[in-house]
Amino acid sequence: MKLNRNFSLLLLGQSLANIGDVLYIVSVISTIFLLTDSAIAASFVPFTIASSMFISSMLTPLLVEKLNLKWLLAGSQIAKTMLLFILGFLVMGLSAANYYFIFLIIGLIAFFDGCANPIRQTLTPHYVKPEQLLQANGISETITQVIQAGMWFVGSSLLLIMSSQQLIWLVGCLFVWASLLLSLLENVNSHESTETKGKLEKMKEGWQTLSNTPVLKRIAWIEFLDTIAATVWIAAILYVFVNDALNVDEKWWGFINGANFLGLILGSAYCIKFSSVVEKKIGTYIFVGSFASFILTIVFSINSIPMISLLLSFCVGLFGQIKQIPQQTVIQTSVSKEQLSTVYTSLGAIGTGIFGIGSLVMGIIADLVGIRMVFVISGLLLATVSVIAHKNKQLFGRKKDHQNGWSFLLNAMYERGAIYKDHAFLSS
């Protein structure tokens, strides 16, 4: 696939921003832990980020109606850059008595990040031809997962030779470049109608689209169940599993986590390489991906052999991503491009809100009934997803008639099957 200028700028700008996001979070967690010597205080970093992104997802539709999508994306990155430099100066005066001020800054950064994520996904169909959309999503997912897999290791390694504040300044430079690249994107027309809607009506628009569009309603339910199921793979729960269920030292936590990311990366690469095959049977790929993830997660929950856990974690990532990328394409082709931003903000609200709550609930369940049981629950949730995917394979592949006249030729592409995709915050 030959990348056009706008998609290349979007991809590079967001990649630099994503690298910076991971590095600055590594720096913040390290700073807070050194100041407080408290794992609980450090754990409030991801909780703060998830909560802020949830609020942002709810409010973004109001901004989409007023602002150009390109400048909304670039402006959010510029705001993140300014806040990051404020954070850099703030770190200089932090102590155990006033470290909580840092949560205000990272909450604001996450707020603007929550605004940027659905806008990026909305812009992709504007910059990519319909027949290249699945490949474009695959490339985006591959790069995102490579960044997620590598930058946590790079960030922790950089802290051996740099201070937390120096790492924040490095991220600031990355954010400046990201802002410049995103500012170079071409403007897109995100509204067809000049009709003025009330604030409440605009905030409800994405939810109404999800409710009134059969394929998106099913995807919303799958997103809901997938998000809860995915909470068992967060660092805290996986760390406990390694210690209590596998009875091995901490390095296996890194190995298993890395194997999962490697599976995600290869799943993305598969979708890029065999995009024409995936396009013809997307509904089948969604079902097979979710069903395989269900079986693999159940086996993972009862296994006690570390090497087998590595293989299972890799396969969970592989089949999960093979399911997720087609699902993303279905979302982007189920409604008009003008409706995508509100749809993505609603799906983003589901993802961030449920993930934050689900993480806490899974942690409580792990303490009450044991760490293996949370993986069993995750597997059963994925089994439910596979049932939904199987019953709706044809729906995922049905051709949509869009208000903007986009003829996606999906019927010809999905002759024998159907289509579908999930994420992917993956993620984050």
Side-chain angles (χ1 to χ4, degrees), residues 385-405:
V385 169
S386 67
V387 171
I388 296 173
H390 181 70
K391 288 184 175 180
N392 294 279
K393 285 198 300 182
Q394 296 304 318
L395 178 63
F396 294 140
R398 186 180 302 164
K399 183 179 179 180
K400 309 297 175 186
D401 296 321
H402 298 297
Q403 294 176 1
N404 62 358

Side-chain angles (χ1 to χ4, degrees), residues 9-20 140 143-144 147 178:
L9 288 172
L10 180 64
L11 198 59
L12 183 56
Q14 280 300 108
S15 296
L16 291 175
N18 290 340
I19 291 171
S140 297
I143 293 175
T144 298
I147 290 171

